Each structure stands twice: as structure tokens, then as C-alpha cells.
Amino acid sequence: MVARVEEVYNVFSKKERWMSVIIVGIAGVFPALTFNFFLPAMGKIATDFSVSLEAIHLTITAYLIVQGVTPIITGPLADSLGRRSVYIYSFLLYVISSVVLSFSPNYPVLLVFRGLQAAGVASTVSIGCAVIQDLTPMCQRDSFYSFYQGIRNVTLVLAPVCGGLNSNWANFRCLFVILFGAALSTLAAILLFLPETLRSIAGNGTVPLTGIHQPWIWRCGIFGKPAHMHLDEMAVPRQRPKVDYNKFTEPFHLLRETDIILSLAFSSVIYAIWMMVTVSTTGLFQATFGLKEALIGLVFVPNALGTIAGSTLIGNLLTQDFLTACSIYQKTHSLPPTVVISRHSLPADFPLEHTRLIRLPGLVVIFTIALSFYGFTLSYPSLTTLGGWIAIPLLLQFLMSAMAHAICGVHQTLITDLWPSNGAAAATISNLVKCLLAGVGVAVVQKMLESVLIGPTFLALGLVVLVLVPLPIVQWYWGCGWRQVRDAKRSHSTAPHQSEKT
């Protein structure tokens, strides 16, 4: 009897895998870099084009809408055409858009090509995660994910600071020249060094790559020789997988589920309000404190730190809550310790909704209080002229950012748990709804500030949050029943297929 040799998950060396992860990590910073680099310069751009700040906000609306829609298309393409192909065409679009924006002769050009810029980088984060999954088994991904997230966090903090400094001493078009240079360098690195990693095309690294899937450096046979040593000489290049058109529509299937709609609605409104606070920062702080662009860039740092703190904190708490709930469930049902409860196949009576939503009340209370008082800290000259008063609204921004991202993290995790068959579809529809609502919010926030004034505007947004509080309450009490009905339907629909196979 011949012993079966277990196939290695990926044959690339650790050094080769790290080189690929560094490249996709750099590519993954572009959404945050492109968005935050632009924020401190909005006032200067409005002056240059002789348009209102509200008109400049519309360029961000265009950016957000395209950022929400694009992954619906590029996600399935990356799963069929390959990661490398989508990277190359995406960055080509981004480079071309940046070239046009570096001239920006008028406002319509700025509006259109900011949207095209978003299309170029909207999917780089999710595709980068997919590359890490292609290259490494689950037990080895932590260090790669830590680097991948870490470099994006650094970008969140540095991008507005650098954008403010650049806008203070140079024409705003220089922002796009810098982005063009960075994107062109990243595209060159992808073309030269990044191999295709999609396992249906590249396997575990032993399948020969041809055409667009092969890094240019491999063709010259100098620096690429070590990679060729992994190839199986008996293997032949695989045919490109066919595009599964069902994947383009699957994210929309989630909109038929009541509990998922509730999570999407609540988290997306919170995200939209946070985006309204963020985008309005430039105009408000320039008018209230008379800050130049260089200092406006620094004003965004507390917001960025809140984003990092909120996302990190809630991730750890959710993991802890789930493990605690699993332990209690095992004891309650007298299950042996060897039984592992998986997020992908939860028991029907597992208290998933309670486990995920238990932290939500405290987060919502802090977010609502900070939001309601935020506008009034910017409304009274007798206060804003006090030395150091600027720290008060910045502290509230930190709290709002941290709580908003924590709330969104809670609901995104819950949505993924409720739709375990395809986490990518859950992330895609969540991104779409959040970006669409945020785009609408950004488009109207300046008009609200001018018509209703600063304090009442943010107080009204706080009241909007209170009006939506019943949504998670309904999910708390009835969500488990809806989940059980959905799981029962799935089991009935898969049962005939299983019986046919047997």
C-alpha cells in the first residue's frame, strides 16, 4: 500500500510570500491614501475652481458611490480572471485618472475622474486579503494580516497630514502628481514581481503560469529563477476558470433577509453620519479656528486614531464574547470539550444575536452623546476663542470615530455570521449600502450646516440615531427565529442534492 503524501498548501518560500504580501499591502493603502490625502485641500480646491464647498463635497459623493459599486464587479472577476489581472487593470485605470487629475482644468473633470480613481482602487483591500489566503494556510495568516492591517493604519494617520502639508505650500494638483507617482511605482512592482496566486489558476505554486499571470521578472530568468524551481515539470498551465455570473448577483440575495436588512440599515446610517462629520471637518475648522491646510491635516489625526482604536478594540471583544458564549453553550448542553462550535455551522439554538449585539448599547450611547454635543462645541465664539478649546471637538471626533467603527464592526461580523456560505458577498453588500448612504450624507451635510446651523445639525443627526435604535432591539428579540427559518430552508434545499449524490 502506497502512503499518501499530503500536498503542501503553497510551495513558495517565506521570503517569496512576504514579497507578495508587501506588494499587495502597498496596493491596499491606496483607498485610504486617495481619500484622506484629498480632505485637507477641499477649501483650497473650492477657491481655485470658484465653486462652493458643497460642490467639492459632491466629488467625494462620486468617489464613495463608485467605491461601493465597483467591488460587485471586480470581486467575481478576481475569482475567475485572477488576482494579478484585476490588479493590473485597476492600477492602469488609477494611473490614467491621476494623470488627468494632475491637470484638472475644471470642476467637471475633477468630479468625473475622482470617481474613476475610486474605481481603480476600490477592491485592492479585499483582493489583497484573498492573496494572503491563497498563499498561506489559516494557521499562518496572523503575521501577514497584522502587517497588512498595520500598514493601512499608518496610512490613515499620515495621509491627511501629508495632504495638508502639500496643500499648504503647493497647488492642490500636486496631490494627484504624488498619487500618480506612487501608483505607477506600485503597478511596476505588480508587473515585475507579483505572480498569480488564484488557486484555480496557480494551484499551490507548482502550476506553470503563462501570459498575464506570469511576473515579468520570471521571463528574464535572472531574479526569477528560484520561483521556477517550484514548478512541477509534469504540470501544464490550467485553463482560465469561467466567470460565474451568479457571483455578481449573490450579494443582493442578502437584501431578502429581514435580519440582515436591519443590521445593514443601522450600521450604514452610523457610517454615513461618521462620514458627514469627517468630510465637514475641513470647512468647519477653517471657519471656526482659522486654520491653514497644514494644521487642518493634523486635525484629522484624532479621527484616524479613533478608527484604528475602535476597529481593534471591537475585534478583540467580539472574539472574547464568542468564545465565552461557546463555553456557556457547551456547559448548558453537556457537550464534551472536544466538540468545537464553528462560526460556519452554528447550532440552531446558539444565541448568536445576543452574543454579537451585547456590546452595542454602550457603543451607541457614547456615539450619540458625542455626536449631539459636537456641533455646539464649534458654535460659540466665546468658547472657540479660548486657548486649547480645539481639543474638545477633536476629542469628540475621536470618540465618534471609535464608536462608529466599533458599531460597524459588530454588525459586519453579525452579517457574516448570518450568511456563512459566502463572506465575500456579505462584505460586498455591506460596503455598497454604507457607501451609498455615506455618499448621500456627504452631499447634503454642507447644505444642512448652512441652513440649520452647526449645533442643531449634529443634534438632529443624534436624534436620527435614537430613532433607529429599535432596529437592533427587534433583531435582538426576533433575529434568532428568522435565522432558524433561513437555515431550515437551506437544509431542505440541499437535502435533495445530497440524496441524488448518494
Side-chain angles (χ1 to χ4, degrees):
M1 182 176 180
V2 179
R4 182 182 176 184
V5 179
E6 185 176 353
E7 185 182 69
V8 178
Y9 188 87
N10 191 278
V11 296
F12 284 5
S13 68
K14 188 174 182 179
K15 182 179 178 180
E16 290 166 340
R17 278 180 284 173
W18 266 113
M19 184 174 70
S20 295
V21 171
I22 289 172
I23 292 174
V24 300
I26 294 172
V29 308
F30 274 85
L33 177 64
T34 307
F35 184 84
N36 291 285
F37 209 44
F38 181 82
L39 294 178
M42 289 191 295
K44 202 168 187 177
I45 297 172
T47 302
D48 191 281
F49 285 133
S50 300
V51 298
S52 66
L53 198 56
E54 183 182 0
I56 301 302
H57 285 184
L58 290 178
T59 67
I60 297 180
T61 295
Y63 186 96
L64 289 170
I65 291 174
V66 175
Q67 182 173 267
V69 172
T70 301
I72 297 175
I73 302 170
T74 54
L77 291 179
D79 291 335
S80 55
L81 304 180
R83 325 294 192 200
R84 178 178 162 88
S85 303
V86 175
Y87 264 135
I88 290 172
Y89 291 120
S90 295
F91 270 92
L92 277 174
L93 177 60
Y94 186 90
V95 167
I96 294 171
S97 302
S98 297
V99 170
V100 176
L101 287 168
S102 65
F103 293 97
S104 293
N106 51 51
Y107 171 75
V109 169
L110 178 70
L111 180 66
V112 171
F113 282 88
R114 275 292 284 175
L116 292 177
Q117 254 196 337
V121 293
S123 299
T124 55
V125 174
S126 58
I127 297 175
C129 290
V131 169
I132 294 174
Q133 294 169 8
D134 294 336
L135 293 173
T136 57
M138 187 172 293
C139 60
Q140 299 177 13
R141 291 173 187 167
D142 287 349
S143 59
F144 294 105
Y145 277 140
S146 296
F147 167 79
Y148 192 62
Q149 183 62 47
I151 191 172
R152 288 164 54 208
N153 287 343
V154 171
T155 305
L156 281 174
V157 176
L158 294 183
V161 175
C162 295
L165 290 173
N166 180 85
S167 300
N168 196 71
W169 286 291
N171 187 284
F172 78 89
R173 293 171 180 82
C174 292
L175 294 173
F176 301 114
V177 174
I178 294 171
L179 293 176
F180 161 73
L184 188 63
S185 301
T186 304
L187 176 60
I190 291 171
L191 289 169
L192 286 169
F193 302 109
L194 183 67
E196 180 57 64
T197 62
L198 181 64
R199 297 182 72 83
S200 58
I201 294 176
N204 66 346
T206 58
V207 177
L209 299 176
T210 59
I212 195 172
H213 303 302
Q214 187 182 60
W216 289 359
I217 204 72
W218 285 17
R219 299 179 186 181
C220 71
I222 300 174
F223 300 105
K225 274 187 176 180
H228 282 281
M229 293 174 62
H230 300 310
L231 299 181
D232 183 352
E233 295 181 358
M234 301 297 293
V236 295
R238 296 181 179 178
Q239 289 186 342
R240 190 186 72 194
K242 293 183 179 180
V243 177
D244 184 358
Y245 292 100
N246 291 326
K247 288 187 175 182
F248 293 102
T249 59
E250 184 172 354
F252 296 99
H253 294 172
L254 280 77
L255 297 179
R256 298 183 299 190
E257 309 298 332
T258 305
D259 50 351
I260 292 178
I261 290 176
L262 295 178
S263 279
L264 283 174
F266 190 78
S267 61
S268 297
V269 169
I270 296 294
Y271 180 84
I273 291 173
W274 167 76
M275 187 62 72
M276 294 168 74
V277 172
T278 301
V279 172
S280 63
T281 297
T282 298
L284 287 177
F285 277 73
Q286 282 183 331
T288 304
F289 299 103
L291 302 180
K292 297 293 185 181
E293 283 78 8
L295 293 178
I296 286 293
L298 292 173
V299 164
F300 285 97
V301 171
N303 196 319
L305 294 176
T307 299
I308 298 168
S311 302
T312 304
L313 176 64
I314 202 60
N316 294 330
L317 291 177
L318 288 173
T319 300
Q320 176 185 326
D321 291 342
F322 184 77
L323 294 176
T324 301
C326 289
S327 178
I328 294 174
Y329 186 89
Q330 287 177 318
K331 291 178 181 179
T332 304
H333 293 76
S334 302
L335 298 177
T338 54
V339 175
V340 178
I341 299 176
S342 171
R343 286 179 57 188
H344 301 289
S345 56
L346 291 171
D349 60 342
F350 186 84
L352 175 63
E353 289 75 15
H354 292 184
T355 301
R356 294 309 190 195
L357 297 176
I358 190 67
R359 306 279 182 179
L360 199 59
L363 302 175
V364 173
V365 167
I366 297 173
F367 178 78
T368 306
I369 292 174
L371 175 63
S372 300
F373 282 99
Y374 172 69
F376 294 107
T377 65
L378 299 169
S379 299
Y380 301 104
S382 59
L383 295 176
T384 57
T385 54
L386 295 176
W389 180 260
I390 193 173
I392 304 298
L394 291 181
L395 174 61
L396 294 178
Q397 275 209 13
F398 172 85
L399 291 174
M400 285 186 285
S401 180
M403 296 304 106
H405 284 82
I407 293 169
C408 290
V410 166
H411 283 285
Q412 184 56 53
T413 303
L414 178 56
I415 292 170
T416 303
D417 291 338
L418 293 173
W419 200 263
S421 59
N422 192 339
T428 298
I429 195 63
S430 180
N431 177 69
L432 174 64
V433 177
K434 286 195 297 185
C435 286
L436 290 180
L437 283 183
V440 173
V442 167
V444 302
V445 65
Q446 190 62 30
K447 182 66 70 176
M448 291 176 65
L449 291 170
E450 294 172 356
S451 304
V452 189
L453 302 182
I454 303 172
T457 292
F458 292 104
L459 178 60
L461 292 176
L463 294 176
V464 169
V465 177
L466 293 180
V467 169
L468 295 177
V469 162
L471 297 183
I473 294 176
V474 169
Q475 193 167 10
W476 176 278
Y477 286 104
W478 287 280
C480 182
W482 292 326
R483 172 167 53 90
Q484 290 172 350
V485 170
R486 179 171 55 250
D487 291 344
K489 288 180 179 178
R490 283 179 179 171
S491 62
H492 287 310
S493 63
T494 56
H497 297 290
Q498 293 176 349
S499 60
E500 288 175 6
K501 292 180 181 179
T502 56

